Amino acid sequence: MQHLRISKFNIGLLLNNYHIYLYHFNDIILHHNNINVKFGIEGLDGYDTGENISFDNCLFGSSEYGFKLNFQAVKISFNNCSFDFNTKGAIWLHNLNNRIELNNCHIEGCSLTNSDITGLIGTDNSLSSIISKIYINNLWLVCSHGTFPLVGGKNLYASLNNIWETATENINSNDKNYLYAVTENSTITKIENCDINSRLLQDKLNLINHSI
């Protein structure tokens, strides 16, 4: 699927629970939907779904959720995508045991409004102990403050490589550092080659097993 513009719906693009695999989306612009993309319908089991889904050169903007995943055992990659001004999270995982990859992406407008949000890429903290894995390589992050971590929530493994951050307001060093954090109840954190001016401080952020 390619070259689509979708806006002003409750759900811009809904991927159901059955026979969704090897799907590739290119040059899709989704904006001003309440949820730009929703994968999986709550309360329904899935079948034959989740293998190698990719979004290339796509925009997820001006929504509550940029991408909401209600499914498990899914592998999704986002390549050269932008997540801009999504007030409840760029990517939200309502189920676990997934692998999410972001390569050469952009996240902007991080002033989240939902007090339950755990991170710009986050999870529902009531989830089970099965781990989801988040791999981010080459990300440009433009945020207005550092209240929320880039990746946060229960039972996540995060590997962050080459993250650059630009703040649109004057924020203190602790807030800026926190943008890269994975919250303390996540399992493993690996952070490499990030902006040296935003070095993570374990004694202030309670990070687990990180390295720069």
Side-chain angles (χ1 to χ4, degrees), residues 5-137:
R5 308 294 182 264
I6 303 172
S7 65
K8 298 183 180 179
F9 291 92
N10 181 36
I11 300 173
L13 178 64
L14 175 63
L15 305 178
N16 66 32
N17 298 48
Y18 307 102
H19 306 297
I20 302 294
Y21 61 92
L22 301 178
Y23 272 42
H24 303 289
F25 300 88
N26 180 53
D27 185 30
I28 310 295
I29 294 179
L30 300 114
H31 64 94
H32 291 93
N33 305 290
N34 289 332
I35 302 173
N36 279 322
V37 178
K38 182 177 178 180
F39 192 169
I41 300 172
E42 297 93 331
L44 295 180
D45 293 331
Y47 176 77
D48 197 23
T49 291
E51 177 187 353
N52 286 334
I53 311 296
S54 68
F55 289 83
D56 301 317
N57 309 303
C58 296
L59 168 66
F60 309 84
S62 300
S63 70
E64 293 186 348
Y65 297 98
F67 189 98
K68 189 172 185 180
L69 180 59
N70 293 312
F71 208 73
Q72 63 179 343
V74 170
K75 180 181 181 293
I76 300 177
S77 62
F78 298 93
N79 306 298
N80 300 304
C81 292
S82 292
F83 299 84
D84 297 342
F85 301 98
N86 299 293
T87 59
K88 293 186 179 180
I91 298 174
W92 180 252
L93 307 180
H94 192 63
N95 219 322
L96 287 178
N97 193 25
N98 296 299
R99 179 185 175 107
I100 309 297
E101 300 176 0
L102 283 79
N103 301 299
N104 302 307
C105 289
H106 178 106
I107 296 178
E108 183 171 352
C110 308
S111 301
L112 303 183
T113 59
N114 187 345
S115 61
D116 296 327
I117 291 296
T118 55
L120 303 178
I121 301 170
T123 68
D124 184 338
N125 271 333
S126 67
L127 296 177
S128 68
S129 60
I130 301 174
I131 295 172
S132 276
K133 297 181 179 181
I134 312 295
Y135 296 89
I136 302 176
N137 185 52

Side-chain angles (χ1 to χ4, degrees), residues 166-178:
T166 300
T168 58
E169 297 176 4
N170 293 323
I171 55 178
N172 64 51
S173 60
N174 290 345
D175 282 344
K176 187 175 182 181
N177 292 331
Y178 193 48

